[in-house]
Amino acid sequence: MYNHPAVGNILVIDDDLQITASDEKNYHEMIAHVPLNYIPDAQNTLIIGGGDGGTLTEVLKHDNLKNIVNVEIDQEVINASKKYFSNIGSSFDDPRATVHVVDAQKWVKHHSSNKQMNKIFDVIIFDLTDFGASESIITDEFFTNIKKMMKPTSILVLNYESLGWYKTNLGDFKKNMKTYFKNIFIYQVYQPTYHSGHYSFAFLSDAINPVNSVINWKKFDDKKIE
């Protein structure tokens, strides 16, 4: 944990900046509300990672969700966020959230074989360290098991990487993801404290093409999310 007069508290893991108090909302709002607005009546959401609680904070703003599961490997990250980012870390104490502190790869492998978890999730969000730094978890087996838990109409969103620095990797990423998903789109966010300030997310779905699908903005407005 660090503190800076301009950006406030800073969380760093393995020398990699994760979030700052000043702009965490840019990242967390975009990773959560974009997929959830394409499925306004979603009931089940799975978050992989997100130990700072920011993604969970935004997901919890959707009252239509009945089952919110967050799988995070590191209890110390949760503890640090509760202490230094209480506005988002407090989300782990929300009764609507079921939090599992465990290796996500093992959790997904175990639960994907459970019939009760078959095709249950409307939205799955990977909130991990930068995509390239998380390759140990992003494997063929992992995606195959994740797909077993997704509804046919579901969406998977993951934090991808900085397009300003790593845009040459995008072709390979889309080619690899075509193995699992019909629709693969990248959307962007201005994230000042991430490398280059030009960050992105991947939107993956078999049924929903975000370019052609219409968002029901009335349903979003009715939720009265600030």
Side-chain angles (χ1 to χ4, degrees), residues 1-223:
M1 297 300 310
Y2 300 91
N3 179 270
H4 187 276
V7 300
N9 287 347
I10 303 169
L11 172 64
V12 176
I13 300 176
D14 296 334
D15 297 325
D16 188 8
L17 187 149
Q18 302 297 307
I19 61 168
T20 74
S22 67
D23 64 3
E24 58 80 15
K25 61 184 178 297
N26 298 27
Y27 173 98
H28 291 128
E29 288 179 1
M30 288 293 279
I31 202 171
H33 298 307
V34 170
L36 286 168
N37 280 344
Y38 278 101
I39 309 178
D41 299 318
Q43 293 193 337
N44 305 301
T45 298
L46 170 64
I47 302 168
I48 300 290
D52 53 62
T55 297
L56 181 57
T57 296
E58 299 304 326
V59 166
L60 283 164
K61 294 178 181 179
H62 293 260
D63 292 337
N64 50 288
L65 293 172
K66 308 301 182 187
N67 179 34
I68 303 170
V69 180
N70 198 151
V71 180
E72 161 62 32
I73 194 171
D74 196 338
Q75 181 66 52
E76 285 305 309
V77 176
I78 295 175
N79 295 343
S81 187
K82 285 183 176 182
K83 183 175 181 179
Y84 295 102
F85 298 94
S86 59
N87 61 312
I88 56 177
S90 59
S91 62
F92 289 109
D93 298 322
D94 192 293
R96 292 174 60 210
T98 302
V99 182
H100 300 281
V101 181
V102 65
D103 185 314
Q105 199 168 36
K106 294 178 180 178
W107 187 91
V108 169
K109 183 177 182 178
H110 174 74
H111 286 84
S112 64
S113 59
N114 185 336
K115 289 184 178 180
Q116 291 183 328
M117 300 293 279
N118 185 252
K119 293 181 170 52
I120 187 175
F121 291 110
D122 300 283
V123 172
I124 295 180
I125 299 172
F126 291 178
D127 182 6
L128 305 168
T129 49
D130 286 343
F131 185 77
S134 302
E135 290 179 348
S136 60
I137 191 175
I138 307 296
T139 63
D140 287 338
E141 181 185 26
F142 187 69
F143 271 107
T144 299
N145 289 333
I146 282 288
K147 285 280 288 187
K148 293 176 184 177
M149 304 168 77
M150 297 177 67
K151 292 181 180 178
T153 55
S154 65
I155 298 168
L156 169 64
V157 163
L158 59 86
N159 54 313
Y160 178 54
E161 58 188 12
S162 171
L163 294 181
W165 286 10
Y166 301 112
K167 60 186 175 183
T168 54
N169 299 338
L170 187 54
D172 288 339
F173 172 78
K174 287 191 171 184
K175 181 180 178 180
N176 293 337
M177 289 299 102
K178 274 293 184 184
T179 305
Y180 310 103
F181 298 97
K182 179 180 178 181
N183 298 307
I184 303 163
F185 287 85
I186 300 296
Y187 65 99
Q188 306 169 67
V189 63
Y190 173 59
Q191 192 71 14
T193 51
Y194 284 7
H195 42 222
S196 86
H198 183 192
Y199 203 71
S200 67
F201 304 93
F203 182 111
L204 312 169
S205 178
D206 286 329
I208 298 177
N209 180 324
V211 175
N212 299 330
S213 301
V214 178
I215 289 177
N216 187 330
W217 289 110
K218 184 181 184 305
K219 285 193 174 183
F220 175 70
D221 290 340
D222 288 345
K223 294 179 182 181

